[in-house]
Amino acid sequence: LKWDPMITTLPGLYLLSVGIVRPAAWLFGWTGSIVCSTGMLRFINLLFSAGNFYLLYLLLSKMHPKNKAVSGFQRILSTLTLAIFPTLYFFTFLYYTDPGSVFFTLFSYLMCLYGNHKASALLGCCGFMFRQTNIVWTVFCAGNVVAEKLNEAWKTELLKKKDEKISSMKGSFSDLIRIFQFVIEYLILPQNLITLIALTWPYIILVVVFFAFVFINGGIVVGDRSSHEACLHFPQLFYFLSFTLFFSFPHLLTPTKIRKFLLTLRKHPVQYSLIAVISLFLVWKFTYVHKYLLADNRHYTFYVWRKVFQRHELVKYLLVPVYIFAGWSFADTLTSKSIFWILMYFVCLFAVTVPQKLLEFRYFILPYLIYRLNIPFPSLYRQLIELAFYIFVNVVTFYLFLNKTFQWPNSEEVQRFMW
């Protein structure tokens, strides 16, 4: 019955909590102090965590059907690894929106893959109630349908021109221009538009409701808007790619990949020089530093920023080659997907990261999980390294949280290190 003006998300987690604890109180005769205790409320996120484990397994099974290359053990191992992904796993034990947000978004994605788009949109609405930016993943689900149709039409187009190959369409800049031309030509035709609308209308309705909410609310944020202003923070994409390189290093940072990247640089020096110049310009003109990032010394991002970016003014520019390698390696692992899926994913990634002024690792959880689900199955050896690394990071994080407490000068409350 009380509203904290610092809360900026819709009350999805709190409504669901009431839906769980009220019946539990009635069934077991618990008092209000038990039902609304910290432990009981955190228990709700443990339920979401169990649900996320099962959804990750179902998604991996759907995307990577059983074959000789992928054993059932590997699928379970990958599920376990993603379920204990450090940034998500840590917040499973606190009363945060992240486990529920991930649960409904993954559930929505699964329903989309099974072609149940009405259920997918409804679950997407639940995800939106946990965090407003989840509307982007509703668009992503609709984009899956559109990308599939575009890919079918593209293959038909290529069959007419037998001298061209699909694989050649993922290379040069001129090929991308031809693909964009094809997309525009496809969407101009009324019968194609009608087909796409007929397939994606549940998502369209949800997006329309979202825009109505933004119009009535006067913005996407509820509560404390002053600390969550939208801006064009392009380096957020670079931070996400670095974050992905760090957590997926067994797949992205291999000697083979480094050699392949250097070979690509030698083959296309002009293209990569242009990318480097554009990246330097974006870092120079669009780097924003949120007041929370500089003030809140509980979070790891505070120390990343202070120990790395604030060492010298040039550090943020010197990291551009790392960003370029991370971006190339990231895109290289997605080559098994269609060009239309890749473009659609990058549009959604841009929409969910770039407008955020605050560097916050929790914002990267969903785009990372969706990326990781869609890459080809790595070898068992790399999977084991990834799992061991996640366990190590989790152990260190929980140790610091539980044992390395400290106090702020103007507060009597105990402070703890966290993501």
mmCIF file of all heavy atoms in Angstrom, residues 247-273:
data_model
loop_
_atom_site.group_PDB
_atom_site.id
_atom_site.type_symbol
_atom_site.label_atom_id
_atom_site.label_comp_id
_atom_site.label_asym_id
_atom_site.label_seq_id
_atom_site.Cartn_x
_atom_site.Cartn_y
_atom_site.Cartn_z
ATOM 1 N N PHE A 247 32.808 -12.844 -20.314
ATOM 2 C CA PHE A 247 32.067 -14.004 -19.824
ATOM 3 C C PHE A 247 32.016 -15.168 -20.820
ATOM 4 O O PHE A 247 31.688 -16.284 -20.435
ATOM 5 C CB PHE A 247 30.649 -13.598 -19.408
ATOM 6 C CG PHE A 247 30.600 -12.938 -18.060
ATOM 7 C CD1 PHE A 247 30.340 -11.579 -17.941
ATOM 8 C CD2 PHE A 247 30.831 -13.657 -16.905
ATOM 9 C CE1 PHE A 247 30.304 -10.958 -16.691
ATOM 10 C CE2 PHE A 247 30.810 -13.055 -15.655
ATOM 11 C CZ PHE A 247 30.547 -11.700 -15.552
ATOM 12 N N SER A 248 32.332 -14.900 -22.082
ATOM 13 C CA SER A 248 32.343 -15.981 -23.083
ATOM 14 C C SER A 248 33.740 -16.192 -23.649
ATOM 15 O O SER A 248 33.891 -16.626 -24.785
ATOM 16 C CB SER A 248 31.369 -15.653 -24.227
ATOM 17 O OG SER A 248 30.062 -15.978 -23.872
ATOM 18 N N PHE A 249 34.756 -15.873 -22.846
ATOM 19 C CA PHE A 249 36.128 -15.960 -23.371
ATOM 20 C C PHE A 249 36.507 -17.358 -23.883
ATOM 21 O O PHE A 249 37.291 -17.456 -24.841
ATOM 22 C CB PHE A 249 37.147 -15.462 -22.326
ATOM 23 C CG PHE A 249 37.482 -16.456 -21.248
ATOM 24 C CD1 PHE A 249 38.524 -17.350 -21.399
ATOM 25 C CD2 PHE A 249 36.745 -16.499 -20.064
ATOM 26 C CE1 PHE A 249 38.833 -18.270 -20.398
ATOM 27 C CE2 PHE A 249 37.047 -17.414 -19.070
ATOM 28 C CZ PHE A 249 38.099 -18.305 -19.240
ATOM 29 N N PRO A 250 35.956 -18.485 -23.325
ATOM 30 C CA PRO A 250 36.335 -19.780 -23.903
ATOM 31 C C PRO A 250 35.887 -19.930 -25.364
ATOM 32 O O PRO A 250 36.455 -20.726 -26.105
ATOM 33 C CB PRO A 250 35.602 -20.797 -23.011
ATOM 34 C CG PRO A 250 35.351 -20.067 -21.735
ATOM 35 C CD PRO A 250 35.079 -18.658 -22.149
ATOM 36 N N HIS A 251 34.858 -19.172 -25.765
ATOM 37 C CA HIS A 251 34.339 -19.265 -27.133
ATOM 38 C C HIS A 251 34.859 -18.142 -28.032
ATOM 39 O O HIS A 251 35.021 -18.333 -29.227
ATOM 40 C CB HIS A 251 32.804 -19.219 -27.128
ATOM 41 C CG HIS A 251 32.181 -19.977 -26.008
ATOM 42 N ND1 HIS A 251 32.451 -21.305 -25.765
ATOM 43 C CD2 HIS A 251 31.304 -19.593 -25.034
ATOM 44 C CE1 HIS A 251 31.772 -21.706 -24.694
ATOM 45 N NE2 HIS A 251 31.078 -20.680 -24.238
ATOM 46 N N LEU A 252 35.093 -16.958 -27.446
ATOM 47 C CA LEU A 252 35.428 -15.775 -28.246
ATOM 48 C C LEU A 252 36.915 -15.447 -28.272
ATOM 49 O O LEU A 252 37.391 -14.819 -29.210
ATOM 50 C CB LEU A 252 34.668 -14.551 -27.720
ATOM 51 C CG LEU A 252 33.139 -14.625 -27.715
ATOM 52 C CD1 LEU A 252 32.547 -13.318 -27.223
ATOM 53 C CD2 LEU A 252 32.608 -14.931 -29.104
ATOM 54 N N LEU A 253 37.636 -15.843 -27.240
ATOM 55 C CA LEU A 253 39.041 -15.445 -27.110
ATOM 56 C C LEU A 253 39.950 -16.660 -27.273
ATOM 57 O O LEU A 253 40.695 -17.033 -26.362
ATOM 58 C CB LEU A 253 39.261 -14.773 -25.748
ATOM 59 C CG LEU A 253 40.516 -13.905 -25.575
ATOM 60 C CD1 LEU A 253 40.522 -12.749 -26.560
ATOM 61 C CD2 LEU A 253 40.590 -13.368 -24.152
ATOM 62 N N THR A 254 39.889 -17.270 -28.442
ATOM 63 C CA THR A 254 40.710 -18.454 -28.712
ATOM 64 C C THR A 254 41.827 -18.083 -29.687
ATOM 65 O O THR A 254 41.684 -17.133 -30.465
ATOM 66 C CB THR A 254 39.858 -19.582 -29.331
ATOM 67 O OG1 THR A 254 39.342 -19.119 -30.595
ATOM 68 C CG2 THR A 254 38.689 -19.947 -28.431
ATOM 69 N N PRO A 255 42.958 -18.817 -29.672
ATOM 70 C CA PRO A 255 44.054 -18.534 -30.626
ATOM 71 C C PRO A 255 43.582 -18.555 -32.083
ATOM 72 O O PRO A 255 44.015 -17.735 -32.900
ATOM 73 C CB PRO A 255 45.056 -19.662 -30.350
ATOM 74 C CG PRO A 255 44.785 -20.079 -28.940
ATOM 75 C CD PRO A 255 43.306 -19.894 -28.749
ATOM 76 N N THR A 256 42.680 -19.494 -32.412
ATOM 77 C CA THR A 256 42.157 -19.594 -33.780
ATOM 78 C C THR A 256 41.418 -18.318 -34.168
ATOM 79 O O THR A 256 41.581 -17.801 -35.275
ATOM 80 C CB THR A 256 41.199 -20.807 -33.895
ATOM 81 O OG1 THR A 256 41.860 -21.963 -33.404
ATOM 82 C CG2 THR A 256 40.754 -21.030 -35.328
ATOM 83 N N LYS A 257 40.586 -17.819 -33.241
ATOM 84 C CA LYS A 257 39.818 -16.604 -33.515
ATOM 85 C C LYS A 257 40.731 -15.392 -33.671
ATOM 86 O O LYS A 257 40.506 -14.549 -34.534
ATOM 87 C CB LYS A 257 38.795 -16.355 -32.403
ATOM 88 C CG LYS A 257 37.533 -17.182 -32.540
ATOM 89 C CD LYS A 257 36.320 -16.384 -32.098
ATOM 90 C CE LYS A 257 35.053 -17.202 -32.235
ATOM 91 N NZ LYS A 257 34.654 -17.359 -33.625
ATOM 92 N N ILE A 258 41.753 -15.300 -32.825
ATOM 93 C CA ILE A 258 42.682 -14.163 -32.911
ATOM 94 C C ILE A 258 43.408 -14.175 -34.259
ATOM 95 O O ILE A 258 43.532 -13.133 -34.915
ATOM 96 C CB ILE A 258 43.691 -14.200 -31.733
ATOM 97 C CG1 ILE A 258 42.945 -13.949 -30.407
ATOM 98 C CG2 ILE A 258 44.786 -13.154 -31.930
ATOM 99 C CD1 ILE A 258 43.752 -14.254 -29.164
ATOM 100 N N ARG A 259 43.870 -15.359 -34.700
ATOM 101 C CA ARG A 259 44.547 -15.478 -36.004
ATOM 102 C C ARG A 259 43.600 -15.099 -37.142
ATOM 103 O O ARG A 259 43.979 -14.380 -38.070
ATOM 104 C CB ARG A 259 45.057 -16.911 -36.206
ATOM 105 C CG ARG A 259 46.355 -17.216 -35.478
ATOM 106 C CD ARG A 259 47.004 -18.479 -36.018
ATOM 107 N NE ARG A 259 46.155 -19.655 -35.835
ATOM 108 C CZ ARG A 259 46.180 -20.419 -34.740
ATOM 109 N NH1 ARG A 259 46.990 -20.131 -33.739
ATOM 110 N NH2 ARG A 259 45.388 -21.470 -34.653
ATOM 111 N N LYS A 260 42.363 -15.575 -37.054
ATOM 112 C CA LYS A 260 41.357 -15.282 -38.082
ATOM 113 C C LYS A 260 41.054 -13.781 -38.135
ATOM 114 O O LYS A 260 40.894 -13.205 -39.215
ATOM 115 C CB LYS A 260 40.080 -16.078 -37.775
ATOM 116 C CG LYS A 260 39.063 -16.074 -38.908
ATOM 117 C CD LYS A 260 37.856 -16.939 -38.543
ATOM 118 C CE LYS A 260 36.761 -16.819 -39.581
ATOM 119 N NZ LYS A 260 35.541 -17.570 -39.196
ATOM 120 N N PHE A 261 41.003 -13.156 -36.965
ATOM 121 C CA PHE A 261 40.733 -11.712 -36.891
ATOM 122 C C PHE A 261 41.879 -10.919 -37.527
ATOM 123 O O PHE A 261 41.638 -9.991 -38.310
ATOM 124 C CB PHE A 261 40.545 -11.293 -35.428
ATOM 125 C CG PHE A 261 40.426 -9.805 -35.229
ATOM 126 C CD1 PHE A 261 39.318 -9.113 -35.702
ATOM 127 C CD2 PHE A 261 41.426 -9.107 -34.567
ATOM 128 C CE1 PHE A 261 39.207 -7.740 -35.520
ATOM 129 C CE2 PHE A 261 41.322 -7.733 -34.375
ATOM 130 C CZ PHE A 261 40.205 -7.052 -34.860
ATOM 131 N N LEU A 262 43.120 -11.284 -37.215
ATOM 132 C CA LEU A 262 44.281 -10.588 -37.786
ATOM 133 C C LEU A 262 44.329 -10.755 -39.298
ATOM 134 O O LEU A 262 44.693 -9.823 -40.034
ATOM 135 C CB LEU A 262 45.574 -11.112 -37.146
ATOM 136 C CG LEU A 262 45.760 -10.790 -35.654
ATOM 137 C CD1 LEU A 262 46.973 -11.514 -35.091
ATOM 138 C CD2 LEU A 262 45.876 -9.282 -35.431
ATOM 139 N N LEU A 263 43.942 -11.930 -39.772
ATOM 140 C CA LEU A 263 43.878 -12.185 -41.217
ATOM 141 C C LEU A 263 42.811 -11.308 -41.870
ATOM 142 O O LEU A 263 43.025 -10.750 -42.961
ATOM 143 C CB LEU A 263 43.574 -13.675 -41.459
ATOM 144 C CG LEU A 263 43.777 -14.203 -42.881
ATOM 145 C CD1 LEU A 263 45.252 -14.136 -43.279
ATOM 146 C CD2 LEU A 263 43.269 -15.636 -42.997
ATOM 147 N N THR A 264 41.672 -11.162 -41.186
ATOM 148 C CA THR A 264 40.587 -10.312 -41.689
ATOM 149 C C THR A 264 41.026 -8.845 -41.751
ATOM 150 O O THR A 264 40.697 -8.128 -42.699
ATOM 151 C CB THR A 264 39.340 -10.433 -40.778
ATOM 152 O OG1 THR A 264 39.012 -11.807 -40.608
ATOM 153 C CG2 THR A 264 38.138 -9.716 -41.370
ATOM 154 N N LEU A 265 41.797 -8.411 -40.735
ATOM 155 C CA LEU A 265 42.332 -7.038 -40.731
ATOM 156 C C LEU A 265 43.244 -6.804 -41.936
ATOM 157 O O LEU A 265 43.190 -5.740 -42.562
ATOM 158 C CB LEU A 265 43.128 -6.789 -39.443
ATOM 159 C CG LEU A 265 42.366 -6.522 -38.155
ATOM 160 C CD1 LEU A 265 43.342 -6.256 -37.017
ATOM 161 C CD2 LEU A 265 41.413 -5.352 -38.290
ATOM 162 N N ARG A 266 44.065 -7.792 -42.254
ATOM 163 C CA ARG A 266 44.981 -7.669 -43.399
ATOM 164 C C ARG A 266 44.227 -7.622 -44.717
ATOM 165 O O ARG A 266 44.611 -6.910 -45.641
ATOM 166 C CB ARG A 266 45.961 -8.850 -43.409
ATOM 167 C CG ARG A 266 47.082 -8.709 -42.384
ATOM 168 C CD ARG A 266 47.979 -9.932 -42.374
ATOM 169 N NE ARG A 266 48.595 -10.171 -43.674
ATOM 170 C CZ ARG A 266 49.255 -11.285 -43.977
ATOM 171 N NH1 ARG A 266 49.375 -12.264 -43.084
ATOM 172 N NH2 ARG A 266 49.807 -11.429 -45.169
ATOM 173 N N LYS A 267 43.126 -8.373 -44.782
ATOM 174 C CA LYS A 267 42.339 -8.429 -46.029
ATOM 175 C C LYS A 267 41.510 -7.161 -46.243
ATOM 176 O O LYS A 267 41.277 -6.753 -47.378
ATOM 177 C CB LYS A 267 41.398 -9.647 -45.994
ATOM 178 C CG LYS A 267 42.077 -10.958 -46.316
ATOM 179 C CD LYS A 267 41.031 -12.068 -46.374
ATOM 180 C CE LYS A 267 41.676 -13.393 -46.719
ATOM 181 N NZ LYS A 267 40.680 -14.505 -46.736
ATOM 182 N N HIS A 268 41.016 -6.568 -45.136
ATOM 183 C CA HIS A 268 40.123 -5.396 -45.244
ATOM 184 C C HIS A 268 40.630 -4.231 -44.396
ATOM 185 O O HIS A 268 39.948 -3.786 -43.473
ATOM 186 C CB HIS A 268 38.706 -5.778 -44.807
ATOM 187 C CG HIS A 268 38.157 -6.985 -45.497
ATOM 188 N ND1 HIS A 268 37.697 -6.964 -46.787
ATOM 189 C CD2 HIS A 268 38.012 -8.279 -45.075
ATOM 190 C CE1 HIS A 268 37.279 -8.176 -47.138
ATOM 191 N NE2 HIS A 268 37.462 -8.984 -46.118
ATOM 192 N N PRO A 269 41.830 -3.710 -44.682
ATOM 193 C CA PRO A 269 42.382 -2.633 -43.839
ATOM 194 C C PRO A 269 41.563 -1.345 -43.877
ATOM 195 O O PRO A 269 41.427 -0.666 -42.865
ATOM 196 C CB PRO A 269 43.787 -2.417 -44.422
ATOM 197 C CG PRO A 269 43.714 -2.939 -45.819
ATOM 198 C CD PRO A 269 42.736 -4.062 -45.788
ATOM 199 N N VAL A 270 41.017 -1.016 -45.044
ATOM 200 C CA VAL A 270 40.251 0.236 -45.192
ATOM 201 C C VAL A 270 38.969 0.176 -44.370
ATOM 202 O O VAL A 270 38.638 1.119 -43.631
ATOM 203 C CB VAL A 270 39.937 0.518 -46.684
ATOM 204 C CG1 VAL A 270 39.075 1.787 -46.818
ATOM 205 C CG2 VAL A 270 41.225 0.668 -47.487
ATOM 206 N N GLN A 271 38.241 -0.942 -44.478
ATOM 207 C CA GLN A 271 36.980 -1.096 -43.740
ATOM 208 C C GLN A 271 37.204 -0.985 -42.231
ATOM 209 O O GLN A 271 36.474 -0.271 -41.537
ATOM 210 C CB GLN A 271 36.335 -2.445 -44.066
ATOM 211 C CG GLN A 271 35.734 -2.508 -45.465
ATOM 212 C CD GLN A 271 35.092 -3.862 -45.741
ATOM 213 O OE1 GLN A 271 34.878 -4.666 -44.837
ATOM 214 N NE2 GLN A 271 34.792 -4.124 -47.010
ATOM 215 N N TYR A 272 38.232 -1.671 -41.739
ATOM 216 C CA TYR A 272 38.475 -1.677 -40.297
ATOM 217 C C TYR A 272 39.063 -0.352 -39.797
ATOM 218 O O TYR A 272 38.839 0.035 -38.655
ATOM 219 C CB TYR A 272 39.345 -2.873 -39.896
ATOM 220 C CG TYR A 272 38.528 -4.146 -39.823
ATOM 221 C CD1 TYR A 272 38.392 -4.976 -40.939
ATOM 222 C CD2 TYR A 272 37.839 -4.493 -38.672
ATOM 223 C CE1 TYR A 272 37.620 -6.129 -40.893
ATOM 224 C CE2 TYR A 272 37.065 -5.641 -38.603
ATOM 225 C CZ TYR A 272 36.952 -6.449 -39.719
ATOM 226 O OH TYR A 272 36.173 -7.573 -39.672
ATOM 227 N N SER A 273 39.788 0.334 -40.667
ATOM 228 C CA SER A 273 40.267 1.681 -40.310
ATOM 229 C C SER A 273 39.086 2.626 -40.152
ATOM 230 O O SER A 273 39.055 3.448 -39.221
ATOM 231 C CB SER A 273 41.217 2.205 -41.398
ATOM 232 O OG SER A 273 42.353 1.389 -41.494
#
